[in-house]
Amino acid sequence: MGVGMGAVGLASLLSDAGLFSSAARAAGADVASTINPLAPRGPHFAPRARRVIHFFLNGGPSHVDTFDPKPMLSKYDGKPLPSGPLRTERKTGAAFGSPFKFRQYGQSGLPISDLFAKTAQHADDLCVIRSMKAQVPNHEPSLMLMNCGDGQMARPSMGAWITYGLGSENQNLPGFIAMCPGGYPIKETENWASAFLPGAFQGTFIDTNHTQIEKLIANIRNDHLPLDRQRQQLDLLRQINRDHANQRGPDAQLEARIQSFELAYRMQMEAADAFDLSKEPQKIREAYGSHVHGRQTLIARRLLERGVRFVQLWHGASQPWDHHDNIQGAHAGLAAQLDQPISALIADLKNRGMFEDTLIIIGGEFGRTPTVEVNDSGKSKLGRDHNPYGFSVVLAGGGVKGGTAVGATDEFGFAAVENVVEVHDLHATILHLLGFDHEKFTYRYAGRDFRLTDVHGRVVREVIA
Amino acid sequence: MKSCAKKQAVKVSELQWVALLVVACCAARGLSAAELAGDSEFFEKRIRPLLVERCYECHSDRTGKAKGGLRLDTREGLMKGGDSGPAISVAQPQQSMLLRAIRHEERELKMPPKLKDRLSKEQSNDFESWIRSGAEFPVKHENLTGRTWRQIADSHWAFQPLQATLAPKVKDATWPRSGIDRYILAKLEENNLRPSPPADPRALIRRATFDLHGLPPTPEEVEAFVKECEAENRNSELLVPGADSKSGKPDSSNTSARDTTLEKRAVPDAHSRLIDRLLASPRYGERWGRHWLDLARYSDTKGYVYGDREERFFVHAHAYRDWVIRAFNEDLPYDRFLVLQIAADQLLPDKNVESLPPRHSMKSASESDLAAIGFLTIGRRFLGVTHDIIDDRIDTLTRTTLGLTVSCARCHDHKFDPIPTDDYYSLYGVFMNTTERTLPLTTTPPDTEAYRGFEKELRSREAKLRDSFAGKRREWSDRVRTMSEDYLLALLAADKLWTEEFYAFVQPNEVNPPFVRQWQSYLHRRNQAGFDAIFEPWHRLYQLPKQSFTENAAPILAGLLNAKEPALNGRVASALGAVKIASMEDLARMYGKLLVSTDEAWRELRKKDGSAAALVDHADEALRMVLYASDSPVQVPDRSFYEAEFFFDEGTRVHLAKLASQIDQWLIQSLGATPHAVILEDLPSSSMRTARVFRRGNPAMPGKEVDRQFLELLSGKDRKPFAHDAGRLDLAQAIIDPKNPLTARVMVNRIWQHHFSSGLVSTPSDFGTRSALPTHPELLDHLATQFIREGWSIKQMHRSIMTSAVYRQSSEIRDQSSQLRRDTVPPVAQKEVETRDFSLIDPTNKLLSHFSRRRLDFESMRDAMLMVSGELNGAMGGRPIDLFKQPFTTRRSVYGLIDRQFFPGELRIFDVASPDLHSPTRPVTTIPQQALFFMNSAFIKERAKALVERVEREVAKSENSNPKSDTAVPLAISRLYLHLYQRKPSAGELALGIRFIESMRSQEPELAPTPAPKPSAWVYGYGELDENAGRVKTFEKLPHFSGQAWQGGSAWPDGKLGWVQLTAEGGHAGNDLKHAAIRRWIAPRDMAVSITSTIQHERQPGDGIRAFVVHGPVAKVGEVKPGDAADSALGSWTLHNQNVEANIASLKVRQGDTIDFIVDIRGNLNNDDFIWKVLIAQADIAAGATKDANRPQSTWASHAEFTGVVSPPPKPLSAWEMYAQALMLSNEFMFVD
C-alpha cells in the first residue's frame, strides 16, 4: 500500500503545481493532474470564500423593481423619458415607475423593494452592485457571458473554472452542481459546460422537481445487488486489483482507479443522505418553505456543507423572470418563491458558521428597461424589455462588504453610469474572493492561456470587506 | 566519463524536482501570485495591445511601410523617432510627440488620424505613465517586437523544412529493429537508460488489437499468435549467430547490420503478420476514424438552436462519419483524405478545374466523396452568426491539419506565431465566398416506390421554401430601396451598428445592419474601381474632418462639378448644385433622395409599360442600376436561406426557417431518403467578394481588403492569390504541399500519439512557438519524410511504428530499473532506490524506456465488454443510435448518437471528446462517477449476465464431452479469464474465484416468492370532460408504461397522443382539451369515502391548468336510483403557479363507481405539468375498529399505489454474475499493458 499511496500523494501534489506553473507542466504534471481532478487544491492567496451558491434568476429580473430604487422614474411615470429610450430588443414607451415600494433596512439603510422584504432583513449583509453591465439585450449571449465569460464561443463556465481551480472538498459528490426545477434553462447544458476543461469539472445537472435519488444522480443505486453483497463483490475486486498492481509495480493510475471504487461505494450512501431532506429538523424545513425553491435551497445548503464547491440554483426551465408584460403580478409571484428560501439560507449559514466563507450570488443575465414595453400598436403591456446597459447583482457572505450599494445607474435606471461593473469585472471579483488572481488563473488550450475573464476584468474593491 | 555523465543527468533532474516541489508548495500556500507584476506586465496589458491595434498598420516593420519613417515596434524606434524627431521623451514625458499625437491636442498632429479611432483619456494616460516610468519595451515573448516575423519563421523548429537525417549510432546494436529504434535508443543511452525487454506475446497481441481495433483479441487469436511466436523463437534459437550466411555474423560495431537483416527478411515475422491482419480488418477504420472525429468536433446535432424554428439535428451528419471510417479502412492517402474534406466538390468530374497538378491527390472525385466536406460543415451553428461559423471552420481546419492556432489572429495579430490578422482574413475570404448546400450522395437513386414518395414530398417542400424565399427577397429589396436615405445615413455610423448576434430582432421598418454592410462594401468597391461618376463626391468627402467640413468640401465639390472629364453623372451634378452640403449627413440625404426619386420614376414607368427594360435617360439609368443591378447593395444574396437569414426581420426569419427545417426534417425522417450531405460550394464568380480585415474582429469595422491566399508563413512572400473559385482547392493544395513542413509532421505525430499515449510533440494541435519541443525532433522528421515518401499511407506508418522494438517493449517499469543498476546497488536496497532514480530521470516516460500502460477509453471499454460477452454487433455505418437507451444497442460505440447540446453524462465522465471544439487529446481522469457506472449501471449488469450465459454454454458443451462435473467451476473461471484477459487464471486466482463463488452461493438471499400483484383500484388514462354536463365524455387507457410514467408511447411527447402523462406524483395534461390526463379510481365496494389532496402547479410561463374531480356512477341496468343516475362534478380548480387543497369531505360510492381526477391545459399548451397526490379513505369505518389482517383495504394513496405494467422485481445477480462483473470491472480489463 505504501508505495501506491505515495504515488497518489505525489500525483495530487503535482496536480497543484500543474494548475499554475508551466514549469510543472513541462515536467509532465498535466498527466498527473488529471488522475484525480477533484482533489482539493489551494488558490493563489488566502481566500475569503471557499464555496459558492449562485441563485440564477434566469430571464432577467428588473433591477428598478428590486434592488435599485429610482424615485425619478416614479416622477416621470407615464411620461416619455427626457433622454429617450435606448435601443433594446423590443419597443418600449413611457417611463414606468416601479409598482413596488422600496424601504430602507438595517443599520445601513440599504433600500430594497417589498419583493424581497424577507431577504432585506439581512440588508446589512448584502452588497448590491447596481452598475452591472452586459453586452446585448438578448438572453442567449447574456447567459453565456454571465456564466462563461463569452457571449458566443464555447468556453468553460464559472463553476467549471472554480472547480478546476479548487477541486472539491468532498470526493463522494460532484464538485459543481446545477439545479433547476422542471428542466433546462435556455442554452441548456452550455450554462454549466466545461468546454475545453476536463469533463469532471462540468456542472452535474439535477432537475429538482424529482425527488428520487436515482433521478438526481446517475447510477447511484444498484437495483440488482443488496449493499452487503455489493460490499463483498467490491472486496473481491479490490483483491484482484491489488494482485494485479503488485505484479506491475507502483502506478498512480492503477491506484487511483482502485480508490475510486471505494469512493463510489461511499458516495451511494452519502449522496442519498445529502439529498434526503427528511434528515433536517422540521423547524429548518419550515424556515425554507415547502415550495420547490425551499427544497432546492435546502438541498444546496446540505451539499455545500458536505464540501461541494459550487452550486447554481436556477429559477426554472426556460426563462421564468422574462416579464415583458404584467410585471407587477409576475415578478411578485416569482420573488415570493425565492425570498423566503434566500432569507432562510442566510440565517441558516450564519447559525452554522458557514456564512463567512460562503459566497452568495443573486442575479440574472441582465436587467429590464425602466420604460414600459409596448405592443405593435404602441399600447402598454405593463411589462419591461431586456436591458443589458444597467442592472443589479447582489452578493453576500464570504469577504463581501455588507450593507453597501456599489456603483449606480442613471437617474432612471437605464444604464450603469457610475463605477460601471462589466460581467468580466464581476468574475474577477468573485475569483478574487475565492483567492485567485484572475489574470493568472489560466488553462492552456489551443496554444493559448485561457482565462474566465478573457483579456478583461478588474477586481471591484468596493465589494470587498 | 560514463558515470560522470550519468551523475550530471541525475543532478539536473534533482534540481528540476526541487523547483517543482517549490512551485507546488507555493501554489498550495498561496505565495505564487502577483509577484511578477511590474512594468512589463503593465506594458503587455495596457500598452502593447494599443500599439498593435492602433499604430502598427502604419508604424511598424511588419507592414514594411513605416510612415514618416516612424517605427513604434521597438524602443529604439520610439527614441529615434521619425522624420519629425523622437516620439517619446522620458525626461519630459508631457512633451512626448507620441502623447501629443494620441491626445489630438494639435491640429496637425493627430494619431490615429480619424477622430473615431482616438484613444480614450484613460488609454492616453496609460501611455503617459508608461513613458514616465521609463518606457520599458520588454522583449518578453518572441513576437514581432523583439524579432521580426521572418526571424521567427526562420528559426522556430516546426517551420523549418523536413530534414532527413541518418539514424544515429547506438551502442547496443542488437536492440533496434528499424530506424525508429535507433533514434529512441540513442536518446535513452544519452540519459543512461535502457529499453525494456520485449513484452510477452499475450501482452503484445492485446496491445496491438486494442490499438488498431479498440477491441480485445479473441482467446483463439491469442493462442494462435503465442504459438507462432514460440515457433519463431525456437527457429531463431536454432539459427545460431552466423548460421545465416547472407547476413553474416552480427558485429556490435556495425550498428546497421541487424536492421538491414530484418528489413531484408523475405518472410515477415508473426508480429508483422499480426499487424497486417489487424490493418486489413474493417474494425480498424472504426477505431481510427473515431480519433479523427475527435479532431473534427463530430456531432449529430447542431448545438443550441431556436427551437421554434430550426431542426436541431444535422441532415445525415453520419454520412461524414461513415466516410471517414471508410477512408481509413481503404487507406486513402492522407493528402487525398484532406483534399476531399476541404474541397471534394471541386473535384467532381463536371467541375473541369484546369491546371491541376497531375497528382493522385487531385484525381477527380465521386458524389459519395461529397460526404467528406462534413469536416467543415458539422460545427456548432452559433445561432447562425456567420463570422463565428467561419471562425470555427478556420480553427478546426488549421489546428487539425497544420497544428497552427490561426484563429488567434481573428482580432489581432497572433501573439506568438507569425500569423498576422491579414492571413486570418485571407482564409476568411475563402469561406465567406462559399455557401452550404444539401446534396444527395448518389446521382443514381433507387427506382423504388419508397424513393419516389420521398422525392415527391421533398420537391414539394423545397418549392415552398424557394418560392417564399424569393418573394421575401424581392419584398426586402423593395423596402431597402425606398429607405435609401436611411441606409446612407446609417452608413456614416456603421461602426456603431449591432453585430450579428443582435440582428435577430430587427423589425421590418428598421435599418438592418447586413444591408448597411453591403452598402459599405459596395461603395468601397466602386471607389477602388477608379473615378466614380455617381459616388465620387461621396468618396472624396468621406474622410474630411467634421469641424472643417464645409471649407474643405467646397473646393473639392467645385472641382468635381467643373471638370469636363471625367464628368459626374448629370443627375448627381444637378442635385449637388441644388442643396448646400455642410456635412456628410447632408450628402447622404441628397443621394438618398436622388435614389428614391429614381426608383419612383422607374416604378411609374413599369406601371405604364410593363416591358420597359431601362430608364430613358442614361444618367437616370445609371442611378437606377445602383438599386437594381445584380451587385446592388439592396439585393438579398441568393444563397441558402440559413446564410441569408439575417437580411430579414424576425418574423420573416421564423417563417422561412420553419420551411427550411421542414425540408431537413423530411430528409432525416423519411425512410425512403437516400444519403445526403451538407456540403460547401463556392459562389459564382459574379457574387464573389474580397474579404476585408475586421479590426478587432468586429465586422462593423471593416479595414483593408485582403486576397484569398495561404499563410505567408508557409507560402512565402511571393505567394499567389488562390486561383480556383473561392480557393478551397488551392487551400487544400497548399496544405498538402510536400514542401509544407507542418502537415506531415502533425499527422505522424498524431499517429505516434495514439500508439504511445503521447506524441513526440505533446501539444499535437499546436506546433507554434509555444508548443512543446519534440522529444525526438530527428525521429519526427524521419517519420514525416517517410510518410510523404510512402505516398502518405497511414497504414504503412502504423506498420513502421508497430513493428519497431520500441513498440514491442514491456510496460513493466521494474524490469527497467533493475537493469539500470543491476551491478552497482546491493540487492536489498535495490528496489526502492532504483524506482526513484528511474522516475527522476524520466518520470513521464518521454524517452520511452518502456511501454506506457494505458487505460481504455470509453469506446474501447464499452465495445470490449460487448465483445467478451459475445454480443458485439459488427454492422457498420448508418444513422446514429442512442447508446444509453434501453434496450441497449450492441453496435460499436462509434455509431452512437453524439448530441453536442445534450451530451450524455456517461460520455462526459469518461472523458469522451467534447463535440464543441476540436479535441486533440482526451484527458484521462478517474472519478467516482465512473466507478458508479461500473458498479451499478444496467448496461454493465447486462454484459455480466451475457458473459456468464456464454461461459455456461461453453462449459456445458465441454461437460457433455467430458462428464467430470467437479471441473465445471474451475473451467468456467478459466473461460471467464480467457475472454476477459485472454489468459488462464493462476492457481491463486482460481482458488480466489472458487472461494468467492462458494461463499456467495452459501449466502444467496432467499428469494421471497413473488407475490401475486394485488388488483389495483387505479387506472391511468386520458379523455375529454363535458364541462357543462359535469361528466367524462371519453376515457381511454394510456397505452405505454415507461417505467416511470404512463404515456402515449416510448417517446414523450408521443407522436399521436402528445404530452399527456401520468406519474406516481402527478403528470402532464395532454395537448388539447380532448386529451386531459385522467387518473381514475374504481370503488372496490359500496361505502362512503373522503378525498384529501393537494394540487400543485409550479410554473410561471403559460396560463396554468384546470383540475376536476368527477364522480361517475357505474351503470347498473335496472338499478338506477335517484341521485346517482348521472355523473357529477365534485369540484373544479384553476391553477397557475400555485397550490390548492382539493378535498371532498364525504361521498357515497357503490362498487364499480369511478372517481376521476382530471387535469387539462386550460387555454393553451405551455408548462402544463402538475403534482397531484390523492388520498381516498373509507369514511364510514368506525374509529378504533380492531386491527385485522383480513380487514379490507380502507385507504387508497395514488402515490404509493402507482403501478405500471407489473413486472417482477429485478432478479438479484447470481454469484457467477457478481463474479463476472467484478472481473470485468478490474484494472486488468481496463488497462492495456
Side-chain angles (χ1 to χ4, degrees), chain A residues 26, chain B residues 157 183-184 187-188 190-191 749 752 758-763 772-780 842 844-848:
Chain B
W157 68 269
Y183 290 99
I184 297 292
K187 266 274 155 71
L188 286 173
E190 239 172 74
N191 288 278
N749 187 60
W752 188 274
S758 174
L760 297 168
V761 178
S762 65
T763 52
L773 286 177
T775 50
H776 301 77
E778 295 86 9
L779 173 56
L780 183 65
D842 184 22
T844 54
N845 193 28
K846 282 188 188 321
L847 301 177
L848 294 167

Side-chain angles (χ1 to χ4, degrees), chain B residues 900-1180:
Chain B
R900 60 161 64 96
Q901 198 62 8
F902 301 97
F903 198 52
E906 290 89 342
L907 298 184
R908 184 163 50 74
I909 61 173
F910 281 103
D911 301 307
V912 171
S914 155
D916 279 342
L917 299 151
H918 162 95
S919 299
T921 46
R922 293 186 184 188
V924 182
T925 66
T926 307
I927 54 176
Q929 283 94 326
Q930 294 164 355
L932 283 178
F933 179 79
F934 288 121
M935 287 154 53
N936 298 342
S937 74
F939 178 82
I940 310 272
K941 176 186 74 173
E942 286 182 13
R943 302 297 76 75
K945 287 190 167 196
L947 174 59
V948 169
E949 280 169 28
R950 178 183 198 184
V951 166
E952 276 169 354
R953 278 195 307 272
E954 289 168 353
V955 170
K957 221 165 149 193
S958 90
E959 288 287 297
N960 288 342
S961 57
N962 179 18
K964 264 203 270 166
S965 64
D966 57 335
T967 61
V969 169
L971 182 59
I973 293 176
S974 291
R975 291 306 302 173
L976 284 173
Y977 268 74
L978 274 175
H979 286 303
L980 287 162
Y981 310 143
Q982 298 85 45
R983 67 174 176 89
K984 291 201 173 79
S986 69
E989 286 165 334
L990 259 182
L992 182 67
I994 293 168
R995 229 172 24 245
F996 179 80
I997 298 283
E998 280 172 357
S999 148
M1000 284 299 108
R1001 275 185 170 163
S1002 70
Q1003 311 164 29
E1004 205 118 82
E1006 269 187 43
L1007 277 186
T1010 321
K1014 271 192 295 186
S1016 172
W1018 300 95
V1019 185
Y1020 309 94
Y1022 65 96
E1024 186 180 6
L1025 178 73
D1026 182 339
E1027 254 183 273
N1028 296 326
R1031 66 186 189 85
V1032 175
K1033 235 160 64 178
T1034 59
F1035 178 86
E1036 297 288 337
K1037 285 187 183 175
L1038 281 164
H1040 181 84
F1041 185 66
S1042 70
Q1044 307 286 343
W1046 283 98
Q1047 56 201 35
S1050 59
W1052 185 67
D1054 178 57
K1056 228 170 91 200
L1057 294 184
W1059 289 95
V1060 62
Q1061 185 188 56
L1062 284 166
T1063 63
E1065 295 174 327
H1068 197 297
N1071 299 26
D1072 53 36
L1073 298 181
K1074 288 199 166 92
H1075 295 84
I1078 304 178
R1079 187 184 304 265
R1080 171 167 284 185
W1081 180 79
I1082 303 170
R1085 58 181 180 272
D1086 295 359
M1087 63 186 142
V1089 294
S1090 68
I1091 300 172
T1092 328
S1093 74
T1094 308
I1095 315 173
Q1096 293 167 264
H1097 179 261
E1098 293 182 340
R1099 287 279 187 274
Q1100 176 56 32
D1103 65 349
I1105 53 168
R1106 297 189 307 172
F1108 306 87
V1109 177
V1110 172
H1111 176 208
V1114 63
K1116 285 185 182 167
V1117 183
E1119 258 198 72
V1120 180
K1121 288 180 183 170
D1124 60 9
D1127 294 11
S1128 54
L1130 302 173
S1132 71
W1133 300 267
T1134 300
L1135 294 86
H1136 185 201
N1137 199 25
Q1138 67 197 106
N1139 301 348
V1140 299
E1141 303 286 321
N1143 300 331
I1144 312 288
S1146 178
L1147 169 72
K1148 278 196 167 170
V1149 292
R1150 307 191 54 175
Q1151 184 177 2
D1153 278 8
T1154 57
I1155 301 180
D1156 288 332
F1157 300 88
I1158 305 164
V1159 176
D1160 72 26
I1161 58 167
R1162 192 178 177 189
N1164 58 47
L1165 176 68
N1166 186 356
N1167 284 277
D1168 293 316
D1169 55 328
F1170 60 90
I1171 297 174
W1172 191 357
K1173 294 186 197 172
V1174 177
L1175 181 70
I1176 298 175
Q1178 186 169 355
D1180 52 3

Side-chain angles (χ1 to χ4, degrees), chain B residues 483-496:
Chain B
M483 291 172 68
S484 294
E485 196 177 326
D486 300 328
Y487 274 95
L488 286 165
L489 282 167
L491 206 46
L492 300 174
D495 60 347
K496 299 218 169 45

Side-chain angles (χ1 to χ4, degrees), chain A residues 34-35 44 140 152 188-190 219 222 224 230 233 241 248 251 257 268 337 439 445-447, chain B residues 30 45 304 380 388 399 405 766 853 901 908 925-926 936 941 1099 1137 1213 1218 1221 1225 1227 1233:
Chain A
T34 53
I35 287 179
H44 296 136
E140 285 85 355
Q152 280 291 108
E188 296 131 10
T189 57
E190 287 176 57
N219 300 312
N222 190 320
H224 48 272
Q230 185 177 57
Q233 186 193 33
N241 279 339
R248 281 161 179 79
D251 180 330
R257 194 162 177 276
Q268 298 180 114
Q337 295 168 4
E439 295 185 15
Y445 169 76
Chain B
K45 243 190 80 187
Y304 187 80
R380 243 182 206 285
D388 294 329
R399 285 207 283 150
T405 53
D766 180 16
R853 184 171 297 121
Q901 198 62 8
R908 184 163 50 74
T925 66
T926 307
N936 298 342
K941 176 186 74 173
R1099 287 279 187 274
N1137 199 25
L1213 291 187
M1218 286 173 71
Q1221 185 185 16
L1225 265 47
N1227 278 344
D1233 281 327

